Amino acid sequence: MSCAEKKLVWSFIQKLLMMNYRAKYNNVKDTNEQHHMQQRDIESSEDKSDNLKEMSLSNKGTSHSERIHPMDIQMAVFHCADGFLKQLMVTKLSHCQYALPLLVPDPFTRQIEFPLWTFGQINKSWKMRNNSNETISQTQPIYKAETPMVFFFRFGSVSSSKSQLMNSLINEKHNTFFHRNCPGSSSTRVLMDGVVEIAWFCPSGTYDDKFTDCVAFCNLHGDAGDHEKQLQILTEMASVNVVLLPELHRNDRHAAKIQSLFRNRKPLICLLTEDESTVTEMNNGKLKIGLKYRSQADVSEELRRAINECLSESSFTFRLEDVSRHSDIRVDEEDDDDCRRGRAAAQQMMSLLEKKDLTEIKESFLPHQGKLWHQWSQKNKELHRPRAYETETDISRKHIELKKIREQQHISKISEFMKFFIKEMNSEAANKVYFFKWLRILLDERRSADLSALHHKWSAVVKSKENHDESEQLIAEQTELEKISEELQAATFGVEHIMREIGQIYESCSSVKKNKKDLQFPFSSLSSLAAEMMISGFPLELMDGDAAHVPLIWISAVLDELIQKLGDQRVFVLSVLGIQSSGKSTMLNAMFRLQFAVSAGRTTRGAFMQLVRVSDEMKTQMNFDYILVVNNEGLRALEHAGKSIRDHDNELATFVVGLANLTLINIFGENPSEMQDILQIVVQAFMRMKKVRLNPSCVFVHQNISEKNVTAGEKNMEGRRRLQETLNEMTKLAAKEEVYDAGCFSDVIRFDVQNDVKYFAQLWEGSPPMAPPNPNYCENIQELKKSILSHAAKSHGMTLKGLKDRTKYLWEALLNEKFVFTFRNSLEISAYRKLETEYSKWTWSLRSAMMETKNKLYNKIENEASYEETDVRRELKMTSEDVKKSMSELFEKDKDKVLLIHLKPSFDIKIKELQGNIVRETKKKLNEKYCHGATSAAIFGKNICQKLKEPIEQSVYKKTARDLAAEMRTECASLNGNRSNLEKHILETLAEEEDLEKYIDYFNNPRDHFKSFIRDEVSIYITDQFSVSVLPKMKENIELLQQKIMKAAHESTEHVQVNSGDVGLWLKSFSQQLSDELIFSEKDLSGVKHDDADVDFKFLEDVIRKELSAITSDISNTHTYNTKLDVKFRPDELLIDHLCQCCWVQCPFCGATCTNTRENHDGDHSVPFHRLIGINGNRCFLSQNFCVDICTNLVASDKDFLTLGGLFPYKEYRKAGGVYAKWSITPDCFELPYWKWFVCRFQKDLGNHYKKKCVGNGEIPDQWKKLRKQDAIESLDKYFKKM
């Protein structure tokens, strides 16, 4: 295939998948451009006056016969496609109101294929009038629909276009059947002969419908005499046969076949291209119509009347799937084993639904997502929004109720229907994708039938209600309408409900921490199943539209599985907001070829997410691997009428805007003033994002704009101006509600009214149901897609892990009434924890580097060698550069960089201050030593090795201490993280020891308690690991030092021999080479120098080597190195310096210690989890009872607290000023069971200690008393795992 041909093929596929019916006209532009180029070449090179020559040459351009026929492109793609692409192609052809391949000969074997599978996703809707002149609506899967069928075919070569004539019957404004006079057509085609195409006329229920019922039209391409099998099948199945031929002649080679048609009792219409007559009835009621010299309009009208007359007399009906009953043809879904098995499994599953009442299906087959899940959702919202003066007992009761609901969910039986689905989807068979597709098809089919019947029933009751005045009858009919409404709700039963059930099965198992008895697979496999489906391109429900709740446990598990399968990929999140049924799903499906439900009765409920993989080519321009599209139910949804619709819309808008990097605001129509309340909700959502330091983008899309206004520049400018004004007005209104200083929309979000507002043509080119999509709409889609990708190219998106965290924080914040406060704190605390963890690593790197430097320089000073202060900074520079690089990467590339960037200046200062402090402390200590070394005198020993023993011992001990500190930072669980991790281990130890006095010490003197704990941990580690870690490190350091000493001795000997030196020169060289390693100088060896003037230096080396072995053996065998080492060099002190130079301010309510790693830090104090305020000795308000309230619950409640400055509500605790104003306490329903267990375990002791009683408001909830110590410790593990 040439490059040009490949380009044609891909252009066809891309346009078709975007529902652009101009996909078949691809050849036109290329050919015309080539022709015009040749014309220009001729004009530039020839004499323009030579018209005859010019005409002759101009004909040498691309000839009509050399073009690739558009239908050959379509059929080539069809033949090369797999089953799924074929189905997608046929579905899109149907959307474009094109005829579809019904019988397709194989281009090589000529075997005829009936691609039944490809029709599976096509539904057709139409309206008819009954005998009472009432309009009746129908929606049916087209392969099941039973309709009349008119079959068109020709014998021989005819001058008139059969396909063009058929188009005039179906839709004269659209080329349903591609014909010889279509743009881009050519006289040669290689893949269409013998192909039968089918299309349907669907009436709209108006009086000008050409046919009053849905009618199928089949078209056999090529000479019917050459395709006998197709002719036989279709003439047998047709309601009316229509044949084109030049004239009726007995000597014609097709005469026998024509005679057979005449003898058949089915209606036959003969169209004679060489006959001039009008409609004429022949023998046996057959009709003929002449075409010669007649206008197509006249012929079309006569033919329409004739067909209608024949249909009224014909009893034959056609059903697409019945074609498969004919022998000698290949049926795709029967020949494909995977497709056949998938269908059989789906049918078996659907058989379980037979004879079940609509209203009972969900309750019977999907019990986990029904009342129990709705109750849990409601209770969870109540838990996050406590009422005035709720006690901890009330809150505890809610927790118990939530747990009981989960337990009830867990004991609910999994239906056979769901067991079958889980088994099929967990199989390794390749047919499971077919199974899932078939299940969707069959469920949609059932839904269509149910909805159609219910709508008819609804209409009948409404009509009856209008005709009755009696009150009793009206009440009965109103009751009937409410019943039908329930049935309509029950009829919306699709794959999304099955996946929702799986999600709730998972959540119930996860909550009670065990598998269900009737679940054949580990419940953890369910999230893997959902992740696989997302990777395969299926949408997953993000927010349950019925319960109006996000199943966080389930969504988090699925995203974890995605990370497991794909890696922590970067995604660009695109969401859409707009009113219900405004075309959001249609737009997204067309843009990204997605699968959001758009058929009748399938408005989106809740929110769904779908992954779109970015091509390798696009990845070079983008900073992410996938686009995650979030589609959601429309604002102003009728389903929520009567409820708090504005609250619901606010919640939904905030959620989808908060998740997204870019949100499309879909406005239906031209007048934004009609959307004022919706725009205020949208503006408010963006304002909330601004307040929490998230900066998403937005693009406004005006859909359903008249054609002239889409292209009218002045009109668009006016529309943009009005939109800008409306947005500015809405910003002012939203700013009042949100208490935010903003005067215009651009104060809230970066927005370019010229580039970020798009105008869309009307979706349909004409009136449905026969109108194709408007090609201009498809081009608008393409322009919008380019704009989205332009925004995306400037964004870093977020990682899947970041998406998981953001989903959690967003939803939990929305559950609280104070969204901005809660979400901002959650985001900032999460980002800050990450930053603190990195900061801990950076500071350790700097401290470690400086300890090495300090030791080297200290040795020099002790050896009376000079050092420059610049040496300190120079030695630290390399590590400092590494830290700086690591910091830059975090602040510039991290997913939370927007949240972190405002912290960068303070952390830059922290690092600089730390470096300055380290350098200053080091200089100070070195200078103190330097002065001390200058005035002190060393005691000389009898020999060099004895003099070396103590310096060697100190050097080894210091190096081992540093190595041990570094090792414990990695290997010791309590010391290998940040301060919060250390606190977790302290709490575990306190729980194990169950000593209240130690707890009180921890409460009152946290810094000293931490230091004591670190010392104990180091002591235990050294004792336990002495033989396996400490001793080997000492031996390794001794060996390294021995090698350096012997190297110094050898090089000193060589130096003396080269320079004919004496002992003095040897000692000077020897001591200088060791000055970095040991506190040792030439002065220490002065006694040796005087006693031995003439030394055999080679012998001296041997003596040193022998004596060193004895000395170092003594050092490595001692257990007392930690006591001999100066305190400031010990590993515990090194770790205390690292972990305890931080903030120790305690919460004014509960006494929890701020976890900021810097003393006197900027910003608020905060702590990951708070405690019961009674632990700090606080009592209940206006009583002497022990207080069991928790800070994070109190700040969400309506309770008050008393200070010397007066009475203040907990919700506004900062107004109390002083230390209260400097704390950030986020409302949070997550309660650490640890402190509940603690209060229960030490209830009596605490009462005695604080002289308080646990009664009245201070009564301990019964549920707390069930907690075991193990539960308390495990809760620490669970919580700190999230940090």
Side-chain angles (χ1 to χ4, degrees):
M1 186 183 288
S2 68
C3 289
E5 289 169 338
K6 285 181 181 177
K7 186 178 177 182
L8 283 173
V9 166
W10 282 112
S11 179
F12 167 77
I13 292 173
Q14 288 170 348
K15 286 185 178 178
L16 178 64
L17 295 183
M18 293 187 76
M19 300 190 303
N20 187 341
Y21 72 71
R22 290 175 181 159
K24 291 194 179 183
Y25 303 158
N26 268 332
N27 256 341
V28 179
K29 184 178 178 182
D30 294 340
T31 305
N32 287 344
E33 283 179 357
Q34 187 176 358
H35 176 69
H36 290 312
M37 283 175 64
Q38 289 178 345
Q39 286 283 49
R40 286 197 299 271
D41 291 342
I42 292 166
E43 288 174 0
S44 64
S45 59
E46 300 292 339
D47 184 355
K48 294 182 182 179
S49 63
D50 193 347
N51 292 328
L52 289 175
K53 188 174 184 181
E54 182 180 337
M55 286 173 63
S56 173
L57 286 171
S58 68
N59 290 332
K60 291 180 182 178
T62 304
S63 70
H64 189 69
S65 61
E66 288 175 347
R67 296 176 188 163
I68 300 174
H69 196 286
M71 292 305 294
D72 283 341
I73 296 174
Q74 174 185 306
M75 295 313 296
V77 174
F78 187 85
H79 284 298
C80 295
D82 65 6
F84 298 113
L85 180 55
K86 279 183 180 177
Q87 187 182 71
L88 182 60
M89 271 186 69
V90 170
T91 303
K92 296 296 183 181
L93 284 169
S94 176
H95 289 159
C96 291
Q97 297 293 353
Y98 274 133
L100 315 176
L102 177 66
L103 295 177
V104 183
D106 185 284
F108 303 105
T109 66
R110 306 311 295 172
Q111 167 75 42
I112 298 170
E113 180 187 61
F114 169 39
L116 176 59
W117 156 256
T118 65
F119 292 86
Q121 290 188 311
I122 301 172
N123 292 308
K124 290 286 184 182
S125 299
W126 64 90
K127 294 180 180 179
M128 304 180 297
R129 290 186 174 273
N130 61 13
N131 295 332
S132 304
N133 203 32
E134 297 170 329
T135 302
I136 299 173
S137 299
Q138 291 277 352
T139 298
Q140 291 188 31
I142 203 58
Y143 74 97
K144 287 279 189 183
E146 199 166 323
T147 67
M149 187 269 278
V150 182
F151 174 42
F152 279 72
F153 56 99
R154 67 174 170 85
F155 285 124
S157 180
V158 295
S159 57
S160 298
S161 169
K162 167 170 50 70
S163 296
Q164 192 170 6
L165 184 59
M166 294 179 74
N167 289 343
S168 69
L169 295 172
I170 299 171
N171 185 352
E172 64 267 10
K173 295 180 180 178
H174 183 60
N175 294 317
T176 304
F177 293 96
F178 197 89
H179 56 84
R180 65 183 71 166
N181 298 318
C182 283
S185 184
S186 64
S187 58
T188 57
R189 63 185 188 197
V190 295
L191 296 175
M192 282 302 292
D193 274 6
V195 173
V196 177
E197 290 187 298
I198 187 170
W200 286 263
F201 173 83
C202 297
S204 59
T206 59
Y207 292 104
D208 57 354
D209 282 334
K210 295 186 175 182
F211 301 93
T212 56
D213 197 355
C214 180
V215 181
F217 287 84
C218 290
N219 182 7
L220 171 58
H221 293 273
D223 189 336
D226 299 334
H227 308 290
E228 293 188 5
K229 188 64 184 178
Q230 293 95 314
L231 182 66
Q232 173 211 332
I233 293 171
L234 272 300
T235 51
E236 285 179 11
M237 299 188 74
S239 308
V240 178
N241 288 309
V242 180
V243 59
L244 267 78
L245 64 167
E247 57 186 348
L248 293 170
H249 200 286
R250 289 186 178 182
N251 295 327
D252 191 280
R253 70 185 182 96
H254 303 301
K257 293 184 179 71
I258 295 170
Q259 285 295 331
S260 174
L261 290 169
F262 267 87
R263 287 193 294 272
N264 194 310
R265 63 191 181 92
K266 281 188 179 178
L268 174 68
I269 301 173
C270 297
L271 304 178
L272 306 177
T273 60
E274 301 304 318
D275 193 311
E276 301 175 23
S277 62
T278 55
V279 179
T280 306
E281 187 171 342
M282 299 180 287
N283 296 333
N284 302 325
K286 312 304 182 192
L287 302 175
K288 74 170 183 176
I289 302 176
L291 305 181
K292 192 172 185 180
Y293 305 134
R294 304 191 63 203
S295 72
Q296 183 167 297
D298 291 344
V299 171
S300 177
E301 181 57 28
E302 282 185 8
L303 182 56
R304 183 190 65 80
R305 285 199 300 265
I307 290 172
N308 271 323
E309 185 179 329
C310 292
L311 289 175
S312 66
E313 297 173 359
S314 175
S315 60
F316 294 97
T317 56
F318 168 82
R319 197 169 65 163
L320 190 70
E321 64 180 0
D322 291 343
V323 177
S324 62
R325 296 177 182 173
H326 289 81
S327 59
D328 298 330
I329 64 170
R330 177 181 176 270
V331 182
D332 59 351
E333 65 184 49
E334 292 176 3
D335 273 24
D336 187 312
D337 291 341
D338 290 332
C339 184
R340 188 180 67 254
R341 284 194 291 263
R343 179 174 188 172
Q347 287 173 330
Q348 186 179 345
M349 187 170 169
M350 290 299 294
S351 69
L352 298 170
L353 300 179
E354 288 177 4
K355 299 178 182 177
K356 289 288 182 182
D357 186 83
L358 262 181
T359 54
E360 296 176 359
I361 285 179
K362 287 183 181 176
E363 192 174 339
S364 301
F365 294 105
L366 312 173
H368 296 79
Q369 66 180 273
K371 292 178 182 175
L372 292 174
W373 165 233
H374 286 229
Q375 286 172 7
W376 192 94
S377 300
Q378 184 58 36
K379 287 288 180 189
N380 193 42
K381 285 187 177 180
E382 290 173 9
L383 179 66
H384 283 79
R385 299 164 186 175
R387 294 188 297 271
Y389 298 105
E390 280 189 342
T391 64
E392 285 299 324
T393 301
D394 299 321
I395 293 170
S396 179
R397 190 181 300 117
K398 288 179 183 177
H399 279 290
I400 295 168
E401 289 169 355
L402 287 170
K403 187 176 179 182
K404 283 181 178 177
I405 293 171
R406 285 301 193 195
E407 288 169 350
Q408 286 177 283
Q409 265 189 320
H410 190 259
I411 60 174
S412 297
K413 290 184 178 178
I414 301 176
S415 65
E416 291 301 317
F417 182 82
M418 287 304 301
K419 284 181 186 176
F420 191 96
F421 179 83
I422 294 169
K423 179 174 72 69
E424 285 297 317
M425 292 304 293
N426 269 290
S427 68
E428 294 296 326
N431 67 294
K432 68 179 174 183
V433 180
Y434 275 105
F435 160 73
F436 191 75
K437 285 253 187 184
W438 269 117
L439 185 62
R440 289 181 71 173
I441 290 167
L442 296 176
L443 283 169
D444 278 353
E445 180 186 325
R446 179 188 174 95
R447 177 193 54 79
S448 293
D450 290 339
L451 285 175
S452 182
L454 287 169
H455 281 136
H456 291 159
K457 190 175 175 183
W458 178 277
S459 299
V461 175
V462 169
K463 184 177 180 182
S464 174
K465 185 180 177 183
E466 290 170 353
N467 296 331
H468 288 94
D469 294 329
E470 296 87 350
S471 58
E472 288 186 9
Q473 182 70 17
L474 279 173
I475 292 170
E477 285 164 350
Q478 183 62 37
T479 303
E480 181 66 14
L481 283 176
E482 289 172 2
K483 182 182 176 185
I484 296 170
S485 181
E486 288 179 14
E487 290 175 337
L488 282 168
Q489 176 65 20
T492 56
F493 179 75
V495 170
E496 64 270 27
H497 297 94
I498 294 173
M499 292 307 299
R500 185 188 294 171
E501 183 75 359
I502 285 179
Q504 284 311 302
I505 290 171
Y506 181 95
E507 288 209 330
S508 68
C509 292
S510 178
S511 297
V512 302
K513 299 177 183 175
K514 62 181 178 181
N515 222 47
K516 289 174 74 75
K517 290 180 181 178
D518 50 354
L519 183 60
Q520 299 158 310
F521 303 89
F523 76 87
S524 58
S525 68
L526 300 178
S527 54
S528 177
L529 181 157
E532 286 175 10
M533 288 174 62
M534 281 196 74
I535 293 168
S536 298
F538 295 104
L540 182 73
E541 188 175 58
L542 181 60
M543 175 190 280
D544 182 334
D546 293 323
H549 210 281
V550 175
L552 263 186
I553 298 171
W554 169 240
I555 295 300
S556 297
V558 174
L559 291 174
D560 280 337
E561 284 293 335
L562 276 178
I563 295 168
Q564 191 73 24
K565 294 174 186 297
L566 300 175
D568 195 10
Q569 301 286 302
R570 297 201 76 83
V571 295
F572 179 81
V573 183
L574 173 71
S575 68
V576 60
L577 269 178
I579 62 172
Q580 191 177 51
S581 301
S582 59
K584 300 184 301 297
S585 299
T586 301
M587 177 175 68
L588 293 174
N589 288 353
M591 199 181 320
F592 296 110
R593 302 188 284 283
L594 305 181
Q595 300 186 36
F596 295 125
V598 293
S599 53
R602 289 295 299 279
T603 53
T604 306
R605 296 289 305 275
F608 289 80
M609 58 181 176
Q610 187 168 346
L611 276 176
V612 180
R613 191 171 66 85
V614 173
S615 67
D616 292 336
E617 182 183 354
M618 277 184 63
K619 282 181 186 177
T620 61
Q621 307 164 40
M622 306 295 171
N623 299 307
F624 46 85
D625 309 283
Y626 288 87
I627 294 174
L628 185 88
V629 181
V630 177
N631 190 22
N632 52 275
E633 69 182 67
L635 306 176
R636 285 185 186 162
L638 295 175
E639 294 87 345
H640 300 289
K643 302 174 186 177
S644 182
I645 188 167
R646 185 171 178 83
D647 288 346
H648 175 270
D649 284 354
N650 267 321
E651 189 175 272
L652 182 67
T654 305
F655 185 65
V656 300
V657 165
L659 271 184
N661 300 112
L662 173 66
T663 301
L664 302 178
I665 312 300
N666 196 51
I667 300 174
F668 194 73
E670 301 183 51
N671 189 358
S673 63
E674 295 176 6
M675 280 281 292
Q676 284 196 1
D677 57 333
I678 300 302
L679 287 177
Q680 185 176 349
I681 289 169
V682 170
V683 171
Q684 201 163 340
F686 281 116
M687 193 172 286
R688 287 173 167 184
M689 296 310 109
K690 178 80 170 179
K691 290 169 79 174
V692 298
R693 297 195 183 97
L694 294 183
N695 297 302
S697 303
C698 72
V699 172
F700 286 83
V701 180
H702 286 265
Q703 289 213 45
N704 204 41
I705 306 299
S706 63
E707 209 72 38
K708 62 180 181 180
N709 288 346
V710 171
T711 55
E714 291 181 7
K715 182 77 175 179
N716 284 351
M717 285 177 65
E718 174 62 17
R720 286 185 168 92
R721 186 190 64 77
R722 282 190 286 115
L723 175 63
Q724 183 81 67
E725 286 180 356
T726 306
L727 287 171
N728 290 343
E729 288 172 17
M730 295 305 102
T731 300
K732 291 171 185 174
L733 291 173
K736 290 179 183 177
E737 281 198 34
E738 290 293 322
V739 193
Y740 188 74
D741 184 18
C744 59
F745 189 53
S746 58
D747 290 340
V748 177
I749 187 171
R750 188 171 59 251
F751 175 68
D752 182 349
V753 75
Q754 296 302 319
N755 296 314
D756 294 335
V757 180
K758 306 296 179 185
Y759 290 91
F760 270 36
Q762 294 165 342
L763 172 59
W764 303 112
E765 191 175 70
S767 301
M770 290 306 296
N774 187 341
N776 292 330
Y777 174 89
C778 301
E779 289 175 7
N780 297 149
I781 288 281
Q782 188 64 27
E783 290 168 11
L784 175 60
K785 187 174 181 179
K786 287 179 183 176
S787 179
I788 290 169
L789 295 178
S790 174
H791 277 278
K794 301 168 190 171
S795 168
H796 287 282
M798 64 186 83
T799 62
L800 286 171
K801 173 70 166 57
L803 173 67
K804 173 189 159 187
D805 291 343
R806 187 176 290 193
T807 304
K808 176 181 181 292
Y809 297 143
L810 261 175
W811 182 243
E812 288 181 344
L814 282 166
L815 287 175
N816 288 288
E817 291 172 327
K818 297 172 72 176
F819 166 79
V820 171
F821 178 67
T822 307
F823 183 57
R824 181 170 62 200
N825 281 6
S826 298
L827 281 180
E828 289 182 350
I829 288 170
S830 173
Y832 198 84
R833 284 176 194 155
K834 178 194 298 178
L835 191 53
E836 288 291 350
T837 300
E838 293 302 312
Y839 179 74
S840 179
K841 294 176 184 175
W842 299 331
T843 56
W844 179 251
S845 298
L846 292 169
R847 289 184 187 281
S848 297
M850 190 46 68
M851 282 190 285
E852 288 287 340
T853 301
K854 185 165 66 176
N855 190 60
K856 285 182 182 180
L857 296 177
Y858 173 69
N859 291 344
K860 276 190 174 183
I861 291 169
E862 287 294 314
N863 295 330
E864 299 184 351
S866 63
Y867 89 95
E868 298 292 333
E869 290 195 357
T870 53
D871 293 346
V872 180
R873 292 191 180 278
R874 186 183 65 249
E875 292 288 343
L876 194 61
K877 186 177 180 182
M878 187 178 294
T879 304
S880 180
E881 289 297 323
D882 289 341
V883 168
K884 189 176 179 181
K885 182 180 177 183
S886 179
M887 285 180 70
S888 295
E889 287 180 355
L890 183 74
F891 285 112
E892 292 171 13
K893 297 180 181 179
D894 190 82
K895 68 180 179 67
D896 292 325
K897 65 175 186 176
V898 175
L899 293 168
L900 295 171
I901 196 67
H902 79 284
L903 297 171
K904 186 176 186 297
S906 65
F907 268 79
D908 283 340
I909 292 168
K910 285 173 78 168
I911 289 293
K912 285 177 183 175
E913 284 182 356
L914 176 66
Q915 288 178 228
N917 289 338
I918 290 172
V919 170
R920 279 192 296 275
E921 288 171 13
T922 303
K923 284 180 181 178
K924 183 180 177 183
K925 290 177 181 177
L926 290 175
N927 286 335
E928 288 173 359
K929 282 287 175 185
Y930 189 77
C931 295
H932 170 72
T935 58
S936 66
I939 301 173
F940 298 100
K942 292 182 180 180
N943 55 61
I944 293 172
C945 290
Q946 285 301 315
K947 291 288 184 182
L948 288 174
K949 182 175 181 180
E950 187 177 344
I952 290 172
E953 189 176 64
Q954 285 298 309
S955 177
V956 168
Y957 287 170
K958 287 178 188 176
K959 180 68 167 63
T960 302
R962 294 195 299 274
D963 291 345
L964 277 173
E967 180 176 282
M968 282 184 273
R969 286 276 300 149
T970 304
E971 300 299 327
C972 188
S974 61
L975 303 172
N976 68 359
N978 55 15
R979 217 273 299 277
S980 296
N981 175 65
L982 177 60
E983 185 161 22
K984 170 202 157 188
H985 286 274
I986 288 173
L987 293 174
E988 286 179 352
T989 303
L990 287 169
E992 293 291 354
E993 293 176 349
E994 296 190 40
D995 186 333
L996 181 62
E997 290 303 316
K998 289 186 177 179
Y999 270 109
I1000 298 299
D1001 179 63
Y1002 164 73
F1003 297 149
N1004 295 338
N1005 307 293
R1007 188 198 298 249
D1008 291 341
H1009 194 92
F1010 271 65
K1011 288 181 177 181
S1012 176
F1013 181 83
I1014 292 170
R1015 290 187 184 108
D1016 289 345
E1017 288 289 276
V1018 171
S1019 177
I1020 292 168
Y1021 188 87
I1022 289 174
T1023 302
D1024 291 346
Q1025 301 293 319
F1026 190 84
S1027 59
V1028 295
S1029 182
V1030 180
L1031 196 56
K1033 278 184 173 54
M1034 288 175 65
K1035 288 182 176 178
E1036 182 183 350
N1037 291 331
I1038 286 168
E1039 286 174 9
L1040 287 172
L1041 196 53
Q1042 276 183 292
Q1043 291 170 13
K1044 290 176 181 178
I1045 291 171
M1046 292 312 303
K1047 182 183 178 186
H1050 180 69
E1051 289 181 357
S1052 296
T1053 298
E1054 287 184 339
H1055 180 65
V1056 167
Q1057 290 173 343
V1058 169
N1059 293 282
S1060 302
D1062 59 6
V1063 172
L1065 182 62
W1066 189 94
L1067 289 173
K1068 184 177 182 180
S1069 172
F1070 181 67
S1071 58
Q1072 284 178 346
Q1073 290 188 61
L1074 293 177
S1075 63
D1076 280 356
E1077 307 295 335
L1078 300 172
I1079 301 173
F1080 174 80
S1081 70
E1082 182 184 358
K1083 188 192 225 181
D1084 295 319
L1085 301 175
S1086 58
V1088 175
K1089 182 167 120 179
H1090 290 298
D1091 294 342
D1092 268 321
D1094 298 317
V1095 176
D1096 184 339
F1097 295 112
K1098 287 291 184 184
F1099 180 75
L1100 178 60
E1101 283 184 47
D1102 293 337
V1103 170
I1104 291 173
R1105 183 177 294 107
K1106 181 178 178 182
E1107 291 298 322
L1108 275 178
S1109 296
I1111 291 169
T1112 54
S1113 176
D1114 290 342
I1115 295 171
S1116 61
N1117 285 330
T1118 180
H1119 281 61
T1120 60
Y1121 92 96
N1122 204 31
T1123 57
K1124 290 187 176 181
L1125 190 59
D1126 193 318
V1127 170
K1128 60 178 173 290
F1129 296 122
R1130 291 177 186 172
D1132 49 0
E1133 294 304 316
L1134 298 178
L1135 290 167
I1136 285 171
D1137 281 348
H1138 176 63
L1139 290 167
C1140 294
Q1141 289 188 10
C1142 49
C1143 184
W1144 294 98
V1145 176
Q1146 293 179 271
C1147 172
F1149 296 119
C1150 69
T1153 307
C1154 174
T1155 53
N1156 196 297
T1157 55
R1158 182 184 172 203
E1159 284 189 279
N1160 304 316
H1161 59 85
D1162 297 328
D1164 293 334
H1165 299 294
S1166 64
V1167 65
F1169 58 88
H1170 287 259
R1171 314 192 285 232
L1172 284 73
I1173 66 174
I1175 289 173
N1176 206 28
N1178 287 320
R1179 56 184 174 79
C1180 292
F1181 187 53
L1182 299 178
S1183 81
Q1184 292 299 318
N1185 296 332
F1186 185 84
C1187 186
V1188 294
D1189 288 326
I1190 299 171
C1191 299
T1192 46
N1193 286 336
L1194 286 169
V1195 295
S1197 73
D1198 294 324
K1199 293 183 180 180
D1200 300 319
F1201 67 97
L1202 187 64
T1203 71
L1204 293 174
L1207 193 65
F1208 298 93
Y1210 274 102
K1211 275 187 175 178
E1212 298 174 350
Y1213 65 88
R1214 287 180 186 261
K1215 289 185 177 179
V1219 69
Y1220 297 99
K1222 296 178 181 178
W1223 270 85
S1224 171
I1225 307 172
T1226 307
D1228 188 357
C1229 286
F1230 178 85
E1231 297 174 353
L1232 203 60
Y1234 184 93
W1235 293 115
K1236 297 178 182 178
W1237 165 82
F1238 167 79
V1239 168
C1240 295
R1241 166 63 183 82
F1242 295 102
Q1243 177 180 349
K1244 185 177 178 181
D1245 298 322
L1246 285 167
N1248 292 334
H1249 183 81
Y1250 289 119
K1251 305 295 187 283
K1252 303 277 191 304
K1253 294 182 179 179
C1254 295
V1255 295
N1257 290 342
E1259 185 178 359
I1260 296 175
D1262 291 338
Q1263 187 65 20
W1264 294 13
K1265 297 172 183 176
K1266 297 177 183 178
L1267 291 167
R1268 301 166 300 143
K1269 178 166 69 177
Q1270 193 59 32
D1271 298 324
I1273 293 173
E1274 286 176 0
S1275 72
L1276 293 173
D1277 289 331
K1278 180 181 177 182
Y1279 185 82
F1280 280 92
K1281 209 176 272 184
K1282 300 176 183 177
M1283 293 182 62

